[in-house]
PDB file of all heavy atoms in Angstrom:
ATOM      1  N   SER A   1     -10.341  14.164   5.453  1.00 90.00           N
ATOM      2  CA  SER A   1     -10.519  15.623   5.435  1.00 90.00           C
ATOM      3  C   SER A   1     -12.003  16.008   5.474  1.00 90.00           C
ATOM      4  O   SER A   1     -12.379  16.989   6.121  1.00 90.00           O
ATOM      5  CB  SER A   1      -9.852  16.219   4.191  1.00 90.00           C
ATOM      6  OG  SER A   1     -10.476  15.734   3.012  1.00 90.00           O
ATOM      7  N   LYS A   2     -12.853  15.224   4.805  1.00 86.00           N
ATOM      8  CA  LYS A   2     -14.292  15.517   4.849  1.00 86.00           C
ATOM      9  C   LYS A   2     -14.840  15.300   6.257  1.00 86.00           C
ATOM     10  O   LYS A   2     -15.665  16.083   6.735  1.00 86.00           O
ATOM     11  CB  LYS A   2     -15.030  14.626   3.856  1.00 86.00           C
ATOM     12  CG  LYS A   2     -14.851  15.028   2.394  1.00 86.00           C
ATOM     13  CD  LYS A   2     -15.688  14.138   1.489  1.00 86.00           C
ATOM     14  CE  LYS A   2     -15.574  14.591   0.037  1.00 86.00           C
ATOM     15  NZ  LYS A   2     -16.399  13.736  -0.869  1.00 86.00           N
ATOM     16  N   ALA A   3     -14.384  14.215   6.905  1.00 84.00           N
ATOM     17  CA  ALA A   3     -14.832  13.964   8.275  1.00 84.00           C
ATOM     18  C   ALA A   3     -14.400  15.086   9.206  1.00 84.00           C
ATOM     19  O   ALA A   3     -15.152  15.518  10.095  1.00 84.00           O
ATOM     20  CB  ALA A   3     -14.288  12.621   8.761  1.00 84.00           C
ATOM     21  N   LYS A   4     -13.197  15.588   9.015  1.00 85.00           N
ATOM     22  CA  LYS A   4     -12.703  16.689   9.843  1.00 85.00           C
ATOM     23  C   LYS A   4     -13.515  17.954   9.613  1.00 85.00           C
ATOM     24  O   LYS A   4     -13.878  18.662  10.572  1.00 85.00           O
ATOM     25  CB  LYS A   4     -11.225  16.952   9.530  1.00 85.00           C
ATOM     26  CG  LYS A   4     -10.630  18.095  10.352  1.00 85.00           C
ATOM     27  CD  LYS A   4      -9.182  18.346   9.983  1.00 85.00           C
ATOM     28  CE  LYS A   4      -8.617  19.514  10.796  1.00 85.00           C
ATOM     29  NZ  LYS A   4      -7.204  19.805  10.436  1.00 85.00           N
ATOM     30  N   ALA A   5     -13.813  18.238   8.334  1.00 86.00           N
ATOM     31  CA  ALA A   5     -14.566  19.446   8.013  1.00 86.00           C
ATOM     32  C   ALA A   5     -15.971  19.412   8.612  1.00 86.00           C
ATOM     33  O   ALA A   5     -16.524  20.454   8.980  1.00 86.00           O
ATOM     34  CB  ALA A   5     -14.647  19.617   6.494  1.00 86.00           C
ATOM     35  N   ARG A   6     -16.545  18.208   8.723  1.00 85.00           N
ATOM     36  CA  ARG A   6     -17.902  18.084   9.263  1.00 85.00           C
ATOM     37  C   ARG A   6     -17.918  17.846  10.763  1.00 85.00           C
ATOM     38  O   ARG A   6     -18.985  17.699  11.350  1.00 85.00           O
ATOM     39  CB  ARG A   6     -18.622  16.938   8.551  1.00 85.00           C
ATOM     40  CG  ARG A   6     -18.824  17.191   7.063  1.00 85.00           C
ATOM     41  CD  ARG A   6     -19.387  15.954   6.387  1.00 85.00           C
ATOM     42  NE  ARG A   6     -19.535  16.170   4.951  1.00 85.00           N
ATOM     43  CZ  ARG A   6     -19.912  15.217   4.090  1.00 85.00           C
ATOM     44  NH1 ARG A   6     -20.178  13.987   4.549  1.00 85.00           N
ATOM     45  NH2 ARG A   6     -20.017  15.491   2.817  1.00 85.00           N
ATOM     46  N   GLY A   7     -16.733  17.789  11.364  1.00 82.00           N
ATOM     47  CA  GLY A   7     -16.659  17.573  12.799  1.00 82.00           C
ATOM     48  C   GLY A   7     -17.030  16.168  13.226  1.00 82.00           C
ATOM     49  O   GLY A   7     -17.479  15.964  14.363  1.00 82.00           O
ATOM     50  N   LEU A   8     -16.843  15.190  12.351  1.00 78.00           N
ATOM     51  CA  LEU A   8     -17.204  13.812  12.644  1.00 78.00           C
ATOM     52  C   LEU A   8     -16.043  13.071  13.294  1.00 78.00           C
ATOM     53  O   LEU A   8     -14.883  13.498  13.223  1.00 78.00           O
ATOM     54  CB  LEU A   8     -17.614  13.090  11.358  1.00 78.00           C
ATOM     55  CG  LEU A   8     -18.793  13.698  10.586  1.00 78.00           C
ATOM     56  CD1 LEU A   8     -19.022  12.940   9.290  1.00 78.00           C
ATOM     57  CD2 LEU A   8     -20.056  13.704  11.440  1.00 78.00           C
ATOM     58  N   SER A   9     -16.369  11.953  13.915  1.00 77.00           N
ATOM     59  CA  SER A   9     -15.334  11.114  14.528  1.00 77.00           C
ATOM     60  C   SER A   9     -14.414  10.549  13.451  1.00 77.00           C
ATOM     61  O   SER A   9     -14.882  10.128  12.380  1.00 77.00           O
ATOM     62  CB  SER A   9     -15.997   9.965  15.303  1.00 77.00           C
ATOM     63  OG  SER A   9     -15.021   9.085  15.812  1.00 77.00           O
ATOM     64  N   ARG A  10     -13.113  10.523  13.732  1.00 79.00           N
ATOM     65  CA  ARG A  10     -12.147  10.080  12.731  1.00 79.00           C
ATOM     66  C   ARG A  10     -10.879   9.608  13.437  1.00 79.00           C
ATOM     67  O   ARG A  10     -10.646   9.941  14.608  1.00 79.00           O
ATOM     68  CB  ARG A  10     -11.807  11.195  11.749  1.00 79.00           C
ATOM     69  CG  ARG A  10     -11.193  12.406  12.441  1.00 79.00           C
ATOM     70  CD  ARG A  10     -11.217  13.652  11.583  1.00 79.00           C
ATOM     71  NE  ARG A  10     -10.610  14.786  12.281  1.00 79.00           N
ATOM     72  CZ  ARG A  10     -11.262  15.538  13.156  1.00 79.00           C
ATOM     73  NH1 ARG A  10     -12.525  15.280  13.459  1.00 79.00           N
ATOM     74  NH2 ARG A  10     -10.655  16.557  13.738  1.00 79.00           N
ATOM     75  N   ASP A  11     -10.080   8.831  12.727  1.00 78.00           N
ATOM     76  CA  ASP A  11      -8.797   8.399  13.267  1.00 78.00           C
ATOM     77  C   ASP A  11      -7.812   9.562  13.279  1.00 78.00           C
ATOM     78  O   ASP A  11      -7.984  10.559  12.565  1.00 78.00           O
ATOM     79  CB  ASP A  11      -8.218   7.263  12.417  1.00 78.00           C
ATOM     80  CG  ASP A  11      -9.027   5.978  12.562  1.00 78.00           C
ATOM     81  OD1 ASP A  11      -9.645   5.789  13.618  1.00 78.00           O
ATOM     82  OD2 ASP A  11      -9.031   5.178  11.614  1.00 78.00           O
ATOM     83  N   ALA A  12      -6.769   9.410  14.079  1.00 81.00           N
ATOM     84  CA  ALA A  12      -5.712  10.421  14.089  1.00 81.00           C
ATOM     85  C   ALA A  12      -5.058  10.486  12.713  1.00 81.00           C
ATOM     86  O   ALA A  12      -4.937   9.475  12.017  1.00 81.00           O
ATOM     87  CB  ALA A  12      -4.681  10.074  15.156  1.00 81.00           C
ATOM     88  N   PHE A  13      -4.639  11.684  12.317  1.00 85.00           N
ATOM     89  CA  PHE A  13      -4.073  11.853  10.981  1.00 85.00           C
ATOM     90  C   PHE A  13      -2.826  11.000  10.800  1.00 85.00           C
ATOM     91  O   PHE A  13      -2.595  10.433   9.730  1.00 85.00           O
ATOM     92  CB  PHE A  13      -3.737  13.335  10.751  1.00 85.00           C
ATOM     93  CG  PHE A  13      -3.214  13.616   9.373  1.00 85.00           C
ATOM     94  CD1 PHE A  13      -4.051  13.572   8.271  1.00 85.00           C
ATOM     95  CD2 PHE A  13      -1.861  13.906   9.178  1.00 85.00           C
ATOM     96  CE1 PHE A  13      -3.566  13.814   6.992  1.00 85.00           C
ATOM     97  CE2 PHE A  13      -1.369  14.155   7.909  1.00 85.00           C
ATOM     98  CZ  PHE A  13      -2.221  14.111   6.812  1.00 85.00           C
ATOM     99  N   GLY A  14      -2.011  10.900  11.855  1.00 86.00           N
ATOM    100  CA  GLY A  14      -0.821  10.067  11.758  1.00 86.00           C
ATOM    101  C   GLY A  14      -1.159   8.609  11.489  1.00 86.00           C
ATOM    102  O   GLY A  14      -0.455   7.921  10.737  1.00 86.00           O
ATOM    103  N   MET A  15      -2.253   8.110  12.084  1.00 85.00           N
ATOM    104  CA  MET A  15      -2.684   6.735  11.847  1.00 85.00           C
ATOM    105  C   MET A  15      -3.118   6.557  10.402  1.00 85.00           C
ATOM    106  O   MET A  15      -2.838   5.529   9.767  1.00 85.00           O
ATOM    107  CB  MET A  15      -3.840   6.386  12.785  1.00 85.00           C
ATOM    108  CG  MET A  15      -4.350   4.968  12.650  1.00 85.00           C
ATOM    109  SD  MET A  15      -3.154   3.755  13.220  1.00 85.00           S
ATOM    110  CE  MET A  15      -3.217   4.055  14.998  1.00 85.00           C
ATOM    111  N   VAL A  16      -3.808   7.555   9.860  1.00 86.00           N
ATOM    112  CA  VAL A  16      -4.262   7.477   8.467  1.00 86.00           C
ATOM    113  C   VAL A  16      -3.072   7.446   7.517  1.00 86.00           C
ATOM    114  O   VAL A  16      -3.020   6.639   6.582  1.00 86.00           O
ATOM    115  CB  VAL A  16      -5.184   8.671   8.146  1.00 86.00           C
ATOM    116  CG1 VAL A  16      -5.552   8.694   6.664  1.00 86.00           C
ATOM    117  CG2 VAL A  16      -6.438   8.614   9.001  1.00 86.00           C
ATOM    118  N   VAL A  17      -2.112   8.322   7.758  1.00 89.00           N
ATOM    119  CA  VAL A  17      -0.911   8.354   6.915  1.00 89.00           C
ATOM    120  C   VAL A  17      -0.156   7.035   7.025  1.00 89.00           C
ATOM    121  O   VAL A  17       0.318   6.477   6.020  1.00 89.00           O
ATOM    122  CB  VAL A  17      -0.001   9.536   7.311  1.00 89.00           C
ATOM    123  CG1 VAL A  17       1.327   9.467   6.568  1.00 89.00           C
ATOM    124  CG2 VAL A  17      -0.711  10.861   7.026  1.00 89.00           C
ATOM    125  N   ALA A  18      -0.044   6.505   8.238  1.00 89.00           N
ATOM    126  CA  ALA A  18       0.653   5.234   8.430  1.00 89.00           C
ATOM    127  C   ALA A  18      -0.038   4.114   7.658  1.00 89.00           C
ATOM    128  O   ALA A  18       0.618   3.251   7.059  1.00 89.00           O
ATOM    129  CB  ALA A  18       0.716   4.893   9.918  1.00 89.00           C
ATOM    130  N   ARG A  19      -1.368   4.115   7.657  1.00 86.00           N
ATOM    131  CA  ARG A  19      -2.114   3.097   6.923  1.00 86.00           C
ATOM    132  C   ARG A  19      -1.832   3.184   5.432  1.00 86.00           C
ATOM    133  O   ARG A  19      -1.631   2.175   4.761  1.00 86.00           O
ATOM    134  CB  ARG A  19      -3.604   3.278   7.203  1.00 86.00           C
ATOM    135  CG  ARG A  19      -4.488   2.157   6.664  1.00 86.00           C
ATOM    136  CD  ARG A  19      -5.944   2.430   6.975  1.00 86.00           C
ATOM    137  NE  ARG A  19      -6.135   2.583   8.411  1.00 86.00           N
ATOM    138  CZ  ARG A  19      -6.921   3.484   8.971  1.00 86.00           C
ATOM    139  NH1 ARG A  19      -7.560   4.365   8.210  1.00 86.00           N
ATOM    140  NH2 ARG A  19      -7.056   3.530  10.273  1.00 86.00           N
ATOM    141  N   VAL A  20      -1.812   4.404   4.911  1.00 90.00           N
ATOM    142  CA  VAL A  20      -1.533   4.588   3.481  1.00 90.00           C
ATOM    143  C   VAL A  20      -0.120   4.117   3.150  1.00 90.00           C
ATOM    144  O   VAL A  20       0.107   3.444   2.141  1.00 90.00           O
ATOM    145  CB  VAL A  20      -1.714   6.073   3.086  1.00 90.00           C
ATOM    146  CG1 VAL A  20      -1.211   6.315   1.668  1.00 90.00           C
ATOM    147  CG2 VAL A  20      -3.183   6.471   3.197  1.00 90.00           C
ATOM    148  N   VAL A  21       0.837   4.465   4.000  1.00 92.00           N
ATOM    149  CA  VAL A  21       2.229   4.082   3.763  1.00 92.00           C
ATOM    150  C   VAL A  21       2.382   2.567   3.785  1.00 92.00           C
ATOM    151  O   VAL A  21       3.047   1.978   2.918  1.00 92.00           O
ATOM    152  CB  VAL A  21       3.151   4.738   4.812  1.00 92.00           C
ATOM    153  CG1 VAL A  21       4.565   4.166   4.719  1.00 92.00           C
ATOM    154  CG2 VAL A  21       3.179   6.246   4.621  1.00 92.00           C
ATOM    155  N   VAL A  22       1.767   1.903   4.770  1.00 89.00           N
ATOM    156  CA  VAL A  22       1.892   0.450   4.878  1.00 89.00           C
ATOM    157  C   VAL A  22       1.284  -0.238   3.663  1.00 89.00           C
ATOM    158  O   VAL A  22       1.895  -1.139   3.061  1.00 89.00           O
ATOM    159  CB  VAL A  22       1.226  -0.049   6.172  1.00 89.00           C
ATOM    160  CG1 VAL A  22       1.121  -1.574   6.175  1.00 89.00           C
ATOM    161  CG2 VAL A  22       2.021   0.406   7.389  1.00 89.00           C
ATOM    162  N   VAL A  23       0.081   0.171   3.280  1.00 89.00           N
ATOM    163  CA  VAL A  23      -0.565  -0.434   2.109  1.00 89.00           C
ATOM    164  C   VAL A  23       0.264  -0.184   0.858  1.00 89.00           C
ATOM    165  O   VAL A  23       0.463  -1.083   0.023  1.00 89.00           O
ATOM    166  CB  VAL A  23      -1.993   0.116   1.937  1.00 89.00           C
ATOM    167  CG1 VAL A  23      -2.595  -0.338   0.606  1.00 89.00           C
ATOM    168  CG2 VAL A  23      -2.880  -0.344   3.083  1.00 89.00           C
ATOM    169  N   GLY A  24       0.769   1.036   0.712  1.00 92.00           N
ATOM    170  CA  GLY A  24       1.593   1.350  -0.449  1.00 92.00           C
ATOM    171  C   GLY A  24       2.856   0.516  -0.511  1.00 92.00           C
ATOM    172  O   GLY A  24       3.220  -0.012  -1.574  1.00 92.00           O
ATOM    173  N   LEU A  25       3.518   0.370   0.632  1.00 92.00           N
ATOM    174  CA  LEU A  25       4.744  -0.435   0.661  1.00 92.00           C
ATOM    175  C   LEU A  25       4.462  -1.899   0.343  1.00 92.00           C
ATOM    176  O   LEU A  25       5.241  -2.557  -0.354  1.00 92.00           O
ATOM    177  CB  LEU A  25       5.407  -0.317   2.030  1.00 92.00           C
ATOM    178  CG  LEU A  25       6.052   1.035   2.353  1.00 92.00           C
ATOM    179  CD1 LEU A  25       6.596   1.035   3.776  1.00 92.00           C
ATOM    180  CD2 LEU A  25       7.175   1.351   1.361  1.00 92.00           C
ATOM    181  N   LEU A  26       3.347  -2.419   0.854  1.00 90.00           N
ATOM    182  CA  LEU A  26       2.993  -3.805   0.569  1.00 90.00           C
ATOM    183  C   LEU A  26       2.737  -4.022  -0.917  1.00 90.00           C
ATOM    184  O   LEU A  26       3.212  -4.996  -1.517  1.00 90.00           O
ATOM    185  CB  LEU A  26       1.759  -4.210   1.380  1.00 90.00           C
ATOM    186  CG  LEU A  26       1.967  -4.406   2.883  1.00 90.00           C
ATOM    187  CD1 LEU A  26       0.640  -4.660   3.579  1.00 90.00           C
ATOM    188  CD2 LEU A  26       2.928  -5.558   3.143  1.00 90.00           C
ATOM    189  N   LEU A  27       1.980  -3.120  -1.540  1.00 92.00           N
ATOM    190  CA  LEU A  27       1.678  -3.260  -2.961  1.00 92.00           C
ATOM    191  C   LEU A  27       2.932  -3.108  -3.815  1.00 92.00           C
ATOM    192  O   LEU A  27       3.150  -3.878  -4.763  1.00 92.00           O
ATOM    193  CB  LEU A  27       0.619  -2.232  -3.378  1.00 92.00           C
ATOM    194  CG  LEU A  27      -0.794  -2.459  -2.832  1.00 92.00           C
ATOM    195  CD1 LEU A  27      -1.723  -1.330  -3.265  1.00 92.00           C
ATOM    196  CD2 LEU A  27      -1.345  -3.798  -3.302  1.00 92.00           C
ATOM    197  N   VAL A  28       3.748  -2.119  -3.496  1.00 93.00           N
ATOM    198  CA  VAL A  28       4.980  -1.906  -4.250  1.00 93.00           C
ATOM    199  C   VAL A  28       5.935  -3.085  -4.052  1.00 93.00           C
ATOM    200  O   VAL A  28       6.556  -3.571  -5.004  1.00 93.00           O
ATOM    201  CB  VAL A  28       5.652  -0.584  -3.827  1.00 93.00           C
ATOM    202  CG1 VAL A  28       7.048  -0.471  -4.423  1.00 93.00           C
ATOM    203  CG2 VAL A  28       4.801   0.604  -4.274  1.00 93.00           C
ATOM    204  N   GLY A  29       6.032  -3.561  -2.814  1.00 91.00           N
ATOM    205  CA  GLY A  29       6.911  -4.702  -2.546  1.00 91.00           C
ATOM    206  C   GLY A  29       6.464  -5.949  -3.277  1.00 91.00           C
ATOM    207  O   GLY A  29       7.290  -6.689  -3.847  1.00 91.00           O
ATOM    208  N   LEU A  30       5.151  -6.219  -3.275  1.00 90.00           N
ATOM    209  CA  LEU A  30       4.633  -7.396  -3.983  1.00 90.00           C
ATOM    210  C   LEU A  30       4.892  -7.280  -5.475  1.00 90.00           C
ATOM    211  O   LEU A  30       5.300  -8.252  -6.132  1.00 90.00           O
ATOM    212  CB  LEU A  30       3.136  -7.540  -3.711  1.00 90.00           C
ATOM    213  CG  LEU A  30       2.443  -8.719  -4.404  1.00 90.00           C
ATOM    214  CD1 LEU A  30       3.031 -10.041  -3.938  1.00 90.00           C
ATOM    215  CD2 LEU A  30       0.938  -8.683  -4.148  1.00 90.00           C
ATOM    216  N   THR A  31       4.680  -6.081  -6.025  1.00 92.00           N
ATOM    217  CA  THR A  31       4.926  -5.880  -7.455  1.00 92.00           C
ATOM    218  C   THR A  31       6.399  -6.069  -7.786  1.00 92.00           C
ATOM    219  O   THR A  31       6.754  -6.659  -8.813  1.00 92.00           O
ATOM    220  CB  THR A  31       4.465  -4.478  -7.882  1.00 92.00           C
ATOM    221  OG1 THR A  31       3.085  -4.315  -7.545  1.00 92.00           O
ATOM    222  CG2 THR A  31       4.636  -4.284  -9.379  1.00 92.00           C
ATOM    223  N   ALA A  32       7.270  -5.573  -6.908  1.00 92.00           N
ATOM    224  CA  ALA A  32       8.712  -5.722  -7.141  1.00 92.00           C
ATOM    225  C   ALA A  32       9.114  -7.190  -7.136  1.00 92.00           C
ATOM    226  O   ALA A  32       9.908  -7.642  -7.978  1.00 92.00           O
ATOM    227  CB  ALA A  32       9.492  -4.955  -6.073  1.00 92.00           C
ATOM    228  N   VAL A  33       8.549  -7.958  -6.210  1.00 90.00           N
ATOM    229  CA  VAL A  33       8.871  -9.389  -6.148  1.00 90.00           C
ATOM    230  C   VAL A  33       8.354 -10.109  -7.389  1.00 90.00           C
ATOM    231  O   VAL A  33       9.075 -10.910  -8.019  1.00 90.00           O
ATOM    232  CB  VAL A  33       8.271 -10.007  -4.874  1.00 90.00           C
ATOM    233  CG1 VAL A  33       8.391 -11.533  -4.912  1.00 90.00           C
ATOM    234  CG2 VAL A  33       8.978  -9.462  -3.639  1.00 90.00           C
ATOM    235  N   LEU A  34       7.113  -9.833  -7.763  1.00 90.00           N
ATOM    236  CA  LEU A  34       6.516 -10.529  -8.905  1.00 90.00           C
ATOM    237  C   LEU A  34       7.067 -10.051 -10.246  1.00 90.00           C
ATOM    238  O   LEU A  34       6.859 -10.713 -11.264  1.00 90.00           O
ATOM    239  CB  LEU A  34       4.992 -10.360  -8.882  1.00 90.00           C
ATOM    240  CG  LEU A  34       4.274 -10.985  -7.679  1.00 90.00           C
ATOM    241  CD1 LEU A  34       2.774 -10.747  -7.761  1.00 90.00           C
ATOM    242  CD2 LEU A  34       4.566 -12.477  -7.595  1.00 90.00           C
ATOM    243  N   SER A  35       7.739  -8.912 -10.254  1.00 90.00           N
ATOM    244  CA  SER A  35       8.342  -8.426 -11.499  1.00 90.00           C
ATOM    245  C   SER A  35       9.671  -9.102 -11.812  1.00 90.00           C
ATOM    246  O   SER A  35      10.236  -8.903 -12.885  1.00 90.00           O
ATOM    247  CB  SER A  35       8.546  -6.907 -11.422  1.00 90.00           C
ATOM    248  OG  SER A  35       7.299  -6.227 -11.328  1.00 90.00           O
ATOM    249  N   GLN A  36      10.173  -9.884 -10.863  1.00 87.00           N
ATOM    250  CA  GLN A  36      11.405 -10.623 -11.120  1.00 87.00           C
ATOM    251  C   GLN A  36      11.138 -11.800 -12.053  1.00 87.00           C
ATOM    252  O   GLN A  36      10.027 -12.319 -12.120  1.00 87.00           O
ATOM    253  CB  GLN A  36      11.987 -11.143  -9.802  1.00 87.00           C
ATOM    254  CG  GLN A  36      12.317 -10.062  -8.790  1.00 87.00           C
ATOM    255  CD  GLN A  36      12.774 -10.657  -7.466  1.00 87.00           C
ATOM    256  OE1 GLN A  36      13.232 -11.797  -7.398  1.00 87.00           O
ATOM    257  NE2 GLN A  36      12.642  -9.883  -6.396  1.00 87.00           N
ATOM    258  N   ASN A  37      12.168 -12.217 -12.766  1.00 85.00           N
ATOM    259  CA  ASN A  37      12.035 -13.376 -13.648  1.00 85.00           C
ATOM    260  C   ASN A  37      11.984 -14.646 -12.802  1.00 85.00           C
ATOM    261  O   ASN A  37      12.935 -14.995 -12.106  1.00 85.00           O
ATOM    262  CB  ASN A  37      13.211 -13.434 -14.627  1.00 85.00           C
ATOM    263  CG  ASN A  37      13.043 -14.545 -15.648  1.00 85.00           C
ATOM    264  OD1 ASN A  37      11.976 -15.153 -15.763  1.00 85.00           O
ATOM    265  ND2 ASN A  37      14.084 -14.817 -16.397  1.00 85.00           N
ATOM    266  N   ARG A  38      10.829 -15.340 -12.856  1.00 82.00           N
ATOM    267  CA  ARG A  38      10.627 -16.528 -12.029  1.00 82.00           C
ATOM    268  C   ARG A  38      10.925 -17.823 -12.772  1.00 82.00           C
ATOM    269  O   ARG A  38      10.783 -18.914 -12.197  1.00 82.00           O
ATOM    270  CB  ARG A  38       9.175 -16.570 -11.539  1.00 82.00           C
ATOM    271  CG  ARG A  38       8.744 -15.301 -10.825  1.00 82.00           C
ATOM    272  CD  ARG A  38       7.371 -15.436 -10.226  1.00 82.00           C
ATOM    273  NE  ARG A  38       6.318 -15.539 -11.223  1.00 82.00           N
ATOM    274  CZ  ARG A  38       5.684 -14.516 -11.747  1.00 82.00           C
ATOM    275  NH1 ARG A  38       6.030 -13.278 -11.405  1.00 82.00           N
ATOM    276  NH2 ARG A  38       4.718 -14.686 -12.629  1.00 82.00           N
ATOM    277  N   ALA A  39      11.304 -17.728 -14.022  1.00 77.00           N
ATOM    278  CA  ALA A  39      11.562 -18.927 -14.822  1.00 77.00           C
ATOM    279  C   ALA A  39      12.833 -19.628 -14.351  1.00 77.00           C
ATOM    280  O   ALA A  39      13.813 -18.980 -13.970  1.00 77.00           O
ATOM    281  CB  ALA A  39      11.682 -18.566 -16.293  1.00 77.00           C
ATOM    282  N   ARG A  40      12.783 -20.943 -14.359  1.00 76.00           N
ATOM    283  CA  ARG A  40      13.941 -21.726 -13.966  1.00 76.00           C
ATOM    284  C   ARG A  40      14.898 -21.951 -15.123  1.00 76.00           C
ATOM    285  O   ARG A  40      15.998 -22.454 -14.937  1.00 76.00           O
ATOM    286  CB  ARG A  40      13.482 -23.076 -13.404  1.00 76.00           C
ATOM    287  CG  ARG A  40      12.617 -22.946 -12.146  1.00 76.00           C
ATOM    288  CD  ARG A  40      12.212 -24.304 -11.618  1.00 76.00           C
ATOM    289  NE  ARG A  40      11.398 -24.189 -10.406  1.00 76.00           N
ATOM    290  CZ  ARG A  40      10.906 -25.216  -9.739  1.00 76.00           C
ATOM    291  NH1 ARG A  40      11.147 -26.469 -10.158  1.00 76.00           N
ATOM    292  NH2 ARG A  40      10.170 -25.024  -8.660  1.00 76.00           N
ATOM    293  N   ILE A  41      14.450 -21.597 -16.315  1.00 74.00           N
ATOM    294  CA  ILE A  41      15.294 -21.715 -17.509  1.00 74.00           C
ATOM    295  C   ILE A  41      15.761 -20.319 -17.900  1.00 74.00           C
ATOM    296  O   ILE A  41      14.950 -19.390 -18.032  1.00 74.00           O
ATOM    297  CB  ILE A  41      14.528 -22.371 -18.672  1.00 74.00           C
ATOM    298  CG1 ILE A  41      14.002 -23.748 -18.240  1.00 74.00           C
ATOM    299  CG2 ILE A  41      15.414 -22.509 -19.897  1.00 74.00           C
ATOM    300  CD1 ILE A  41      13.116 -24.414 -19.270  1.00 74.00           C
ATOM    301  N   ALA A  42      17.048 -20.155 -18.090  1.00 68.00           N
ATOM    302  CA  ALA A  42      17.629 -18.823 -18.325  1.00 68.00           C
ATOM    303  C   ALA A  42      17.083 -18.159 -19.577  1.00 68.00           C
ATOM    304  O   ALA A  42      16.986 -16.928 -19.649  1.00 68.00           O
ATOM    305  CB  ALA A  42      19.150 -18.930 -18.405  1.00 68.00           C
ATOM    306  N   THR A  43      16.708 -18.943 -20.576  1.00 71.00           N
ATOM    307  CA  THR A  43      16.254 -18.382 -21.846  1.00 71.00           C
ATOM    308  C   THR A  43      14.766 -18.035 -21.851  1.00 71.00           C
ATOM    309  O   THR A  43      14.251 -17.536 -22.852  1.00 71.00           O
ATOM    310  CB  THR A  43      16.535 -19.377 -22.986  1.00 71.00           C
ATOM    311  OG1 THR A  43      15.894 -20.621 -22.687  1.00 71.00           O
ATOM    312  CG2 THR A  43      18.031 -19.584 -23.154  1.00 71.00           C
ATOM    313  N   VAL A  44      14.076 -18.306 -20.753  1.00 72.00           N
ATOM    314  CA  VAL A  44      12.633 -18.064 -20.674  1.00 72.00           C
ATOM    315  C   VAL A  44      12.373 -16.887 -19.736  1.00 72.00           C
ATOM    316  O   VAL A  44      12.983 -16.773 -18.672  1.00 72.00           O
ATOM    317  CB  VAL A  44      11.886 -19.325 -20.165  1.00 72.00           C
ATOM    318  CG1 VAL A  44      10.401 -19.028 -19.989  1.00 72.00           C
ATOM    319  CG2 VAL A  44      12.109 -20.493 -21.112  1.00 72.00           C
TER     320      VAL A  44
END
């Protein structure tokens, strides 16, 4: 938004949103995987 306000070169807004979505999904997905119980023993 600052680049747009100053008339500077910038990526398309859709590309920026897509980048945020992809990074967010990767972080959330990694957290979801690592939040699972990885112990091979049921009581641990």
Side-chain angles (χ1 to χ4, degrees):
S1 63
K2 286 183 177 180
K4 180 182 179 181
R6 296 173 182 175
L8 301 176
S9 175
R10 60 197 180 277
D11 291 332
F13 183 72
M15 181 68 71
V16 174
V17 173
R19 189 181 303 139
V20 171
V21 171
V22 170
V23 171
L25 289 177
L26 288 174
L27 290 177
V28 170
L30 179 62
T31 304
V33 170
L34 296 180
S35 296
Q36 301 175 22
N37 186 11
R38 306 186 292 271
R40 298 181 179 180
I41 303 174
T43 57
V44 176

